[in-house]
Amino acid sequence: VAPTAEVQLASLKATCPRKAIYEAVQTVGHAVSGRSALPILSHILIRAEENGLRLIATDLELGISCYIPAQVQEAGALTAPARTLTEVLGNLPDKSDVAISVDKSHTTRVNCEKSDYKILGLPADEYPQLPEVRDTVSFTIPQSVMRSLIRQTRFAVGTDEARPILTGILMVFDGETLKFVATDTHRLAVKSTKVTQGNGSQNVIVPARAMNELTRLLTSDEGNVEVRLSGNQIMFILPGENQVQIVSRL
């Protein structure tokens, strides 16, 4: 993961429903690092996008981003500690709007009805940027099928960190067929399916953690998941207005 090339900095000011931003923080929070030597990896990046906010978290191995509609008064970006931000938003009234902003000292301000919080953050331009994953090799698959592939193979994934190659699921894609394979050398699980929309072919091993996070976020049986493979990265793009994206190192 490379450092952010450019993040537009200003006194970010935006207003959004408390429920939307709280759920978004919980969604991306699973990618926050709890034991990193880089303090900024314990933070969540919030940046303005067209008609909304994009929340991003990464530990340099796994990254999750999520979009929420918002009224943006001033474009910009901020970071705030994930744990503190989650606790603050969790204590706010459910059916209310939250105003969030940041000043030049990187202090995030959260206002909601009679509540006013100040949270010390870090410079947004120091936050790592999620890697770009091109669609040179890509395919789409129904959410229900992807969930079935993962659930019927992940039980056989190895847990021995001394053999890291067994701690993931082998994904074999030949342009028409997708096969998942997992083994801990004592048991073997294989599951295949046809893919109607695919481009290219590639064999990769996806960490079990990324697959578990994907399963957690597959909340509906409707819509398709887009999968992109590029270099040593994989991206899952989920359907829905929140535009959830999961990026993992292979």
Side-chain angles (χ1 to χ4, degrees):
V1 179
T4 306
E6 270 186 45
V7 174
Q8 182 185 6
L9 293 179
S11 296
L12 171 66
K13 292 183 181 179
T15 304
C16 59
R18 174 264 178 194
K19 185 175 185 290
I21 191 170
Y22 181 52
E23 291 179 350
V25 166
Q26 290 182 307
T27 294
V28 303
H30 284 253
V32 172
S33 174
R35 297 175 296 176
S36 173
L38 297 174
I40 201 165
L41 294 183
S42 66
H43 289 221
I44 290 175
L45 173 68
I46 302 177
R47 71 183 183 205
E49 288 192 356
E50 185 177 359
N51 300 320
L53 298 173
R54 171 72 61 176
L55 286 77
I56 299 171
T58 181
D59 62 0
L60 304 184
E61 295 286 339
L62 176 74
I64 303 176
S65 74
C66 179
Y67 171 87
I68 58 170
Q71 296 178 344
V72 180
Q73 290 83 40
E74 289 188 38
L78 62 84
T79 74
R83 184 174 180 178
T84 304
L85 188 59
T86 302
E87 291 175 351
V88 166
L89 294 172
N91 289 326
L92 298 178
D94 189 30
K95 297 181 179 180
S96 57
D97 288 338
V98 172
I100 188 167
S101 61
V102 67
D103 60 25
K104 293 182 179 179
S105 67
H106 313 300
T107 299
T108 296
R109 192 161 185 170
V110 179
N111 298 96
C112 180
E113 297 185 359
K114 296 181 180 180
S115 301
D116 184 8
Y117 292 90
K118 291 183 179 180
I119 305 171
L120 185 60
L122 292 169
D125 58 355
E126 294 182 4
Y127 200 88
Q129 185 179 14
L130 294 185
E132 180 181 355
V133 183
R134 300 177 182 177
D135 57 355
T136 307
V137 179
S138 63
F139 59 88
T140 57
I141 183 172
Q143 290 194 77
S144 58
V145 177
M146 177 64 82
R147 185 187 295 110
S148 176
L149 286 170
I150 298 173
R151 287 181 174 174
Q152 295 185 45
T153 54
R154 67 179 178 182
F155 71 89
V157 171
T159 57
D160 185 1
E161 296 297 333
R163 305 182 71 181
I165 199 169
L166 300 181
T167 62
I169 295 177
L170 172 65
M171 180 187 293
V172 180
F173 175 62
D174 63 8
E176 297 180 353
T177 304
L178 177 65
K179 180 186 294 182
F180 277 25
V181 184
T183 183
D184 59 4
T185 71
H186 296 289
R187 52 190 177 178
L188 173 70
V190 182
K191 179 75 174 178
S192 301
T193 188
K194 289 291 185 181
V195 175
T196 55
Q197 296 181 347
N199 180 46
S201 61
Q202 193 169 345
N203 298 349
V204 298
I205 298 176
V206 185
R209 180 188 172 204
M211 290 302 199
N212 290 335
E213 289 302 325
L214 177 60
T215 304
R216 182 179 64 86
L217 294 171
L218 293 174
T219 56
S220 172
D221 288 333
E222 299 179 358
N224 294 329
V225 179
E226 180 183 353
V227 183
R228 297 180 181 178
L229 294 161
S230 178
N232 67 337
Q233 304 285 344
I234 186 169
M235 172 182 280
F236 302 95
I237 303 175
L238 278 61
E241 63 177 8
N242 288 337
Q243 304 171 21
V244 176
Q245 299 178 358
I246 303 172
V247 181
S248 173
R249 184 176 292 176
L250 297 169

